[in-house]
Amino acid sequence: RMLSSYKPRNDVRDSYKILELEEGCSLDDVRNSYRNLAKKYHPDSSSGMADPKAFIRVEEAYRVVLNDLTAKHKLEPGEEEEDQFKSKSLQHRHYLSFEGVGIGTPSQREKQYRQFRVDRATEQVLEYRQQRLGSRYAGTDLSLAKDVRQSKKVKITQAVERLVEDLIQESMAKGDFDNLSGKGKPLQKFSDSPHIDPMTHNLNRILIDNGYQPEWILLQKEIRETIERLRKSIVASRRKLGEPMTPPEQKQWGQICEQFAEDIRKLNKRVDNFNLVVPILSRQMVHFSTDKEILRARSTYEAVMEKASDSDTKENEGEEGK
């Protein structure tokens, strides 16, 4: 009873209007119109007018129009003769086959029943697609943005991994790894700590054996060498001017202090870069003060001069004693 009362959702005239067709059109026109509208409204298409609900209406209208054309289609040759020679069964038995679907001869009803099964399966598929699309787009815009960012991160990570692998293969082809110490020998697992990854530990050992140094160690060494060089240069400049300084020498000393302050400012920028990359918080460095460094240079100069005067005094006393 349920199957015999099956009716399409859309009226025939409304279905023709949805497909933008007129009654009496050919089957090719129906198919072409359906293809164009499907490309326009399909959710997976790149069209700006994609709409799952509109696509479902077009799909249902297409099935209704096909049923209408099938019902209006003339009988095929031979079917009338076949119907004449077949014994007609009673009406209640005539509709027991094909689940009570369709009217006309058995061959016509068989075709209509096949079309009914196709329509029913198509409707179930469309309902499933609609539920799937609804669950997919039920999230908020924020969740969609997070998914987009996550996919971009995955793509970037995969691209970087492929680039690193290509560079490694290129270096191996050039022979850059042929001169490594311990080539052809097994890796020694010298780490007994269960909390350290053996692969990471072995990679660190290989880098250390081949002279690799982290960036923060190189920056720390460069900063220490630079400050020592600046301190020695300002002390040497002060010794060249002598004591006491004349007005031109004082002016020259002021220029030397200005240049020293500029060098200290550049050095403090390197200190900032070092603090950003150093992995240990206790290893971070503080800025160098220009005033403190100048006072230190003066005290160093005075100590050197005092030491020189003491040595001269001792030499004079020794000569007088002789």
Side-chain angles (χ1 to χ4, degrees):
R1 293 176 182 176
M2 178 186 66
L3 295 175
S4 61
S5 61
Y6 171 80
K7 294 182 180 179
R9 293 185 178 181
N10 296 327
D11 190 47
V12 177
R13 295 180 180 178
D14 295 337
S15 300
Y16 277 103
K17 291 181 180 179
I18 292 174
L19 295 178
E20 300 176 358
L21 297 172
E22 296 181 357
E23 295 186 11
C25 60
S26 62
L27 184 60
D28 295 335
D29 295 336
V30 175
R31 291 175 179 174
N32 294 331
S33 179
Y34 170 70
R35 290 195 190 98
N36 296 330
L37 294 175
K39 293 178 182 179
K40 184 177 179 181
Y41 295 115
H42 197 279
D44 297 334
S45 65
S46 59
S47 175
M49 302 180 65
D51 187 1
K53 295 182 179 180
F55 175 71
I56 292 174
R57 290 196 299 269
V58 170
E59 188 78 18
E60 293 177 354
Y62 174 64
R63 298 301 175 187
V64 172
V65 172
L66 285 182
N67 290 336
D68 183 62
L69 292 178
T70 304
K72 293 180 179 180
H73 196 273
K74 295 181 180 180
L75 297 176
E76 295 182 359
E79 289 183 348
E80 296 180 355
E81 299 177 358
E82 178 185 1
D83 186 54
Q84 293 176 359
F85 291 101
K86 284 185 178 179
S87 61
K88 296 183 180 180
S89 60
L90 297 176
Q91 185 176 6
H92 65 279
R93 293 187 179 182
H94 183 68
Y95 287 97
L96 290 179
S97 58
F98 306 122
E99 299 179 356
V101 177
I103 57 175
T105 61
S107 58
Q108 291 177 343
R109 295 182 61 246
E110 183 180 1
K111 290 183 180 180
Q112 296 173 14
Y113 175 68
R114 290 177 182 176
Q115 187 64 41
F116 164 76
R117 294 185 62 184
V118 172
D119 295 339
R120 184 172 57 185
T122 303
E123 185 177 355
Q124 294 176 356
V125 170
L126 291 176
E127 290 179 357
Y128 171 76
R129 288 181 180 177
Q130 187 176 8
Q131 294 177 0
R132 186 176 179 183
L133 290 173
S135 61
R136 180 184 301 177
Y137 297 103
T140 60
D141 295 339
L142 182 60
S143 62
L144 292 176
K146 289 182 179 179
D147 294 340
V148 172
R149 289 197 296 268
Q150 187 66 24
S151 62
K152 288 183 178 179
K153 289 182 180 179
V154 172
K155 290 180 180 179
I156 293 173
T157 304
Q158 293 176 353
V160 172
E161 291 178 354
R162 288 196 297 269
L163 178 60
V164 172
E165 185 66 25
D166 294 340
L167 292 175
I168 292 174
Q169 295 295 333
E170 184 179 354
S171 299
M172 292 176 63
K174 292 180 180 179
D176 295 339
F177 297 154
D178 295 341
N179 298 326
L180 296 178
S181 60
K183 178 184 178 183
K185 299 180 181 179
L187 296 175
Q188 299 177 0
K189 295 183 178 180
F190 56 91
S191 175
D192 298 330
S193 177
H195 305 289
I196 300 177
D197 183 17
M199 178 65 70
T200 304
H201 210 73
N202 290 332
L203 290 175
N204 292 335
R205 182 181 61 81
I206 293 173
L207 293 174
I208 292 172
D209 292 344
N210 289 274
Y212 172 78
Q213 292 181 352
E215 182 182 3
W216 66 275
I217 292 180
L218 298 177
L219 281 175
Q220 185 181 29
K221 182 179 179 182
E222 182 181 358
I223 291 170
R224 290 177 178 176
E225 291 177 354
T226 303
I227 191 62
E228 290 297 328
R229 178 175 55 80
L230 292 176
R231 288 170 179 173
K232 290 180 181 180
S233 64
I234 194 171
V235 172
S237 300
R238 182 65 185 86
R239 291 183 64 182
K240 289 180 180 179
L241 296 176
E243 187 70 27
M245 292 187 295
T246 61
E249 291 176 347
Q250 291 180 357
K251 185 177 181 180
Q252 186 178 358
W253 171 248
Q255 295 175 355
I256 293 172
C257 291
E258 291 178 359
Q259 182 62 35
F260 182 75
E262 181 66 18
D263 295 336
I264 291 296
R265 187 181 64 82
K266 294 179 180 179
L267 183 62
N268 288 332
K269 288 185 177 181
R270 297 183 185 179
V271 172
D272 293 336
N273 296 332
F274 169 77
N275 292 334
L276 291 175
V277 298
V278 64
I280 305 173
L281 186 62
S282 60
R283 293 293 184 89
Q284 289 190 344
M285 303 175 66
V286 296
H287 285 184
F288 295 97
S289 175
T290 304
D291 298 334
K292 290 182 179 180
E293 293 296 332
I294 292 176
L295 291 176
R296 180 175 181 175
R298 288 180 179 176
S299 60
T300 304
Y301 168 72
E302 292 174 358
V304 171
M305 295 301 295
E306 185 179 357
K307 185 177 181 181
S309 61
D310 292 340
S311 63
D312 293 340
T313 303
K314 288 180 180 181
E315 289 179 0
N316 293 333
E317 289 176 356
E319 290 179 356
E320 291 177 358
K322 289 181 181 180

